[in-house]
Structure formats: C-alpha cells, structure tokens
Amino acid sequence: MRKKLTPYLFLAGPLTLYSIWVIYPIFRTFLVSFTRWDGMTKSRFVGWENFVRLFNDRYFILSLLNNLKWMIGFVILSIPLGLLFAMLMDQKYPGHKVYKSLVYLPMALSFVVIGQIWSWVLEPSGGVVNAFLRWIGLEGLAKPWLSDPKIVTYSLIWAALWRQIPYAMVLFLAGLQSVDKEHVEAAIVDGANAFQRFWYVILPELRPAIVITITVNIIDSLRAFDIVFVMTRGGPYYSSSVMANYMYIQAFHNYRMGYGASIAVIQFLITLGFILIYVLNVLKREERL
Amino acid sequence: MKKTFRATLFYVLCTLIVVLWMVPFVVAFFTAFKTMDEIFMLRNFWSPPKTWTFENFKIAWIEGRMARYFINTAIVTAVSVAGTLLLSSLSAYALAWYEFKLRTTILMIFVSGMLIPFQMLLIPVYRFSVVTGLYDTLIGVILFHVAFQLGFCTFFLRNFMVTIPSSLFDAARIDGAGAFRIYSKIIMPLVKPAVAALSILEFTWIWNDYLWSLILLQSDAKKTVTIGLTTLQGQWISSWNVIAAGALLAATVPVIVFLIFQRYFIQGLTLGSIKG
C-alpha cells in the first residue's frame, strides 16, 4: 500500500501546479469559446456562433493563411539550411567551435530584441538590406519590407529564421553524431562520391532527426507571436497577422474573450496533430529504452 | 591538394555564413553608439558612428528605467528556475523509478503540455490571476512560469534519470533507505549535469519571456526587461539609438550566460528533443 502511494506523493506538488496553470486552462478555454464574454459582465452561452463567425471573418482567414506561410517558410528554409550548416560545421577544422557559437547567438536573444534589431535591418531608407541592394545596383529590389502588405509576412519570417535556422542546425548536429561513421567509411571504400554518401548513407540515418526537426519547426510556426507583435502588431491592416496575434488582439484589446478563445481553440486543434506526431515519436523511443 | 581545397571551402563558407549572421548585431551595435544628430543627419543604420557615445546607454538605463526592469526580470527568472527545477525533479523521480498505473498518461500530459500554443492558456490564466489577486505581482508571473515549465523539465529530467542503472536504486532500497532519501542522496547528485543543462535553458527562456509579462503585469514598477523594451520603444519613438542601447542592455545577460555555458545550452536543447 505504502509503495503504491509513494509516486503520487512525489507528484502531488508538481501536478497540482500543472493542473491549475496548464490543464484546467485548456478545458476552460474550450468552454469560453462557446460563449460571448467581455471579461467583466456575465458570459452568455452562444453555441457554435463564434466558430461560424470565425470562418466568415476575413482577417481570421488571412491570419490562418499567414500561419501557413510561416509553416512553409520554416520547413522549406530552416530544414535544408539547418542541415547544410550542420554538415558544414560538423567538419572539425580548427575554429569550428567559434563559428558555431556565433551562429547560435540569436538563440540567446528575446524575440523582442530580435524584432527590434530586424526593424532597423529592414528599415526602408536607412536599413542595411536596402542600402546593400542599392549599392550592388539592384535599386528595384529595395522595398518597404515592413509596410508593404504583400511582403510584410515574408519579412517577418525572414527575421524569425535568423533564430530558427541555428535551432534546426543544433538538432541536426545532434542527429549527425548518431550517424554510424563505419557506414560512411564503407561507402567511401565502395567508391561512393560525396553526394551519394550523403543521399544513400547519411540522409536515411538522419531520418529520426529530420522528422523531429520538421515537427518542432511546424509547431513553432503555428505558435509565432512575439516577432509579429513587436515588429508590426499584425499590420498594416492585418496583412501580417497570425492566429496567435489575432487572438491576443480580439481577447485583450477588443475584450471579446469568447471570440478570442475560439481562435485559440482552432490554433490548438491544428497544432494538436503535430504535437501527437512528436509525442508518438517520443513513445516509440520509450519502448526501445 | 584535395584536402586543402576542402579546408578552404570550409573556411570560406563558414566565414560567409557568420558574417551574414552577424550583420544584425553590428547594425544594433552601431546604432546604439550613435548620437541623435548623426541618426537624423544620415538616417542610416549601417555605417559606424563618427562620434561614439555612451549617452544612449545611460538614458536607457536611468530615464528609460531599464535598471528597475532588470531587477524585476532577475527576481522572476531566479525564483522561477529554482522552483521549476525543484518541483520537476520530484515528478521526474516518480515517473522514472516507479511503476504505477497512470505513469505513461502523466508523462504524456507533461510532454504535450510543453508544446501547446500559449493562446490556449491566456484567458483562463489571466482571469485566475485577477480573481486570486496574483495579477500585477511578480509572484503571479513566477507561479505561471514554474507551473508551465514543469512539462519540459519533468520530461527532460526523467529521460536523464532512466539512464541511471537501476541497480543503484535497488541497492539503496534493500539497505532500507526511504524514497525521499534515495531521491535526495542518490539520484539528485547523479543528475547534476542534467540540472545544469536545464537551468541554462530555462534561464534563457524565462529571462526572454515577453507574452506572460505582457498578460500578467501592468504597473511600471513591476515590468520585466522585455516589456520595458517595448515601453522604451513607445516613449523614445524616433530615438533609435536609445532603443538600440536598451535592446543591447537587455541582450547582455542572456548572451553572456549563453557564451559561458554554451555547452549546457546545446546539450539541453538536443537532449530535450532528439534523444527524447
């Protein structure tokens, strides 16, 4: 009897806190999403109304599509570039550690700082990007990166990748450590060229690392908030809005808590699929242990 | 011949990447040391300052009240990291060493919780803080961080604990040591490296948090560094140099911590995701 209780005694404190601040809020948000509520007066049950409105709300649709852009941008850029950087810097020439440290540095920064720094980098008249484009004679490519509704989301993704690519790189570097060196050497003996070695030996062994890195990147892309909020607040005219930012504005600026909660629920449900992929991957490893 | 070519390629490509990656830092650095006159005259963010000035840092630190925000962030971060590490070591211990019915379920709840979008928690956590009087207090933010980070920390520490040979645990048990004694005297000393890695990661994340301070804090005296930075941005709208100085100040602590403890930071990131 005592033995059976022991684990629960250890779990009591942590689980209590976790229930109050994480588990309960998840259920509560589901409930709130079915109400109309300004956060002060009494809330009123409205059934599916918020969700119906949501899919007729062009700014929400816009935010959803922008999240999709974030997702695609993260996957098609931070995965190959992260892998490339990792393969490159995994070669242990003197100085490789210094190179790594410097590339990793953005990971130590707050998104607020990243957002502010990138506002100066992308500033239309004095920013370094446009100055460089003018200097090499590509005047026409110099753009108002953060105020043109057509490109603003891509500019934000670009800023986010400054931190995301090194993150993918770290995960791939760890994956590369588990690639069997003997297999690579055997391939060299068999006369495989660098590309063949990469494609037929290294890449298949990196599969678990690639799956995890893609999943983590997708989850991150669906969570994007700080950079958007700091750099553009979702503007101009919601053109760079993402779900997280739209939810915040609806719930905490417009005091539409019910509506905000329904945005959070959609965001959560989309993310859930990827969370499950991640958790299942973890479970698989559990069995191997 | 081939070897020198490969080495050259390595250095050329790496240098190119690093230079590209450092541009934003250099931009911020130059801007922070420029005088207001120069900002307005030249209106560019990439040339080195003609006259270097420390004035912007002073303004951000004193008039911009960054000093106050630093203290708040330091308190929040230190207490949160300590709290979450302590509590998660307890739950990790239970989940690593005991067989019980809900074990896998509880573990999975912790793992999935760490990945959910924050928006799913915002409204109830905000309401809860208002109702309980935790709103606009540092302790309110701390409690949230401690609770939320339990997910990742439990997962992380548990994964490390299961690599400890169970013979150690069994032997102590046969010697009649109680569960808490085994936890504090045998297991905890062995997981020190994992705790070190974890504390660096958590330190960086909590220090850099923006959203939860935004939601749970209101008065100027309670603001954390990240919120303070956006306040600075509001007050000194066109004084890019002051904002840049503030941003550099805010970045100093996590960057220094990162550079010193980089090994732990990277270990933490990889242990937490890949090795699962």
Side-chain angles (χ1 to χ4, degrees), chain B residues 1 120 233:
Chain B
M1 183 59 208
M120 206 55 198
Q233 204 176 11

mmCIF file of all heavy atoms in Angstrom, chain B residues 1 120 233:
data_model
loop_
_atom_site.group_PDB
_atom_site.id
_atom_site.type_symbol
_atom_site.label_atom_id
_atom_site.label_comp_id
_atom_site.label_asym_id
_atom_site.label_seq_id
_atom_site.Cartn_x
_atom_site.Cartn_y
_atom_site.Cartn_z
ATOM 1 N N MET B 1 46.204 18.149 -51.971
ATOM 2 C CA MET B 1 45.541 19.096 -52.884
ATOM 3 C C MET B 1 44.056 19.151 -52.583
ATOM 4 O O MET B 1 43.482 20.189 -52.279
ATOM 5 C CB MET B 1 45.802 18.639 -54.334
ATOM 6 C CG MET B 1 45.223 19.602 -55.382
ATOM 7 S SD MET B 1 45.914 21.266 -55.219
ATOM 8 C CE MET B 1 44.585 22.229 -55.869
ATOM 9 N N MET B 120 -3.885 29.187 -25.852
ATOM 10 C CA MET B 120 -4.860 28.282 -25.246
ATOM 11 C C MET B 120 -4.953 28.508 -23.740
ATOM 12 O O MET B 120 -5.909 28.078 -23.095
ATOM 13 C CB MET B 120 -4.411 26.851 -25.553
ATOM 14 C CG MET B 120 -5.489 25.820 -25.588
ATOM 15 S SD MET B 120 -6.812 26.205 -26.713
ATOM 16 C CE MET B 120 -8.047 25.096 -26.068
ATOM 17 N N GLN B 233 10.439 51.776 -26.570
ATOM 18 C CA GLN B 233 10.139 51.989 -27.977
ATOM 19 C C GLN B 233 8.983 52.989 -28.127
ATOM 20 O O GLN B 233 8.972 53.803 -29.039
ATOM 21 C CB GLN B 233 9.758 50.657 -28.604
ATOM 22 C CG GLN B 233 9.964 50.588 -30.094
ATOM 23 C CD GLN B 233 9.654 49.186 -30.605
ATOM 24 O OE1 GLN B 233 9.106 48.345 -29.899
ATOM 25 N NE2 GLN B 233 10.020 48.936 -31.842
#
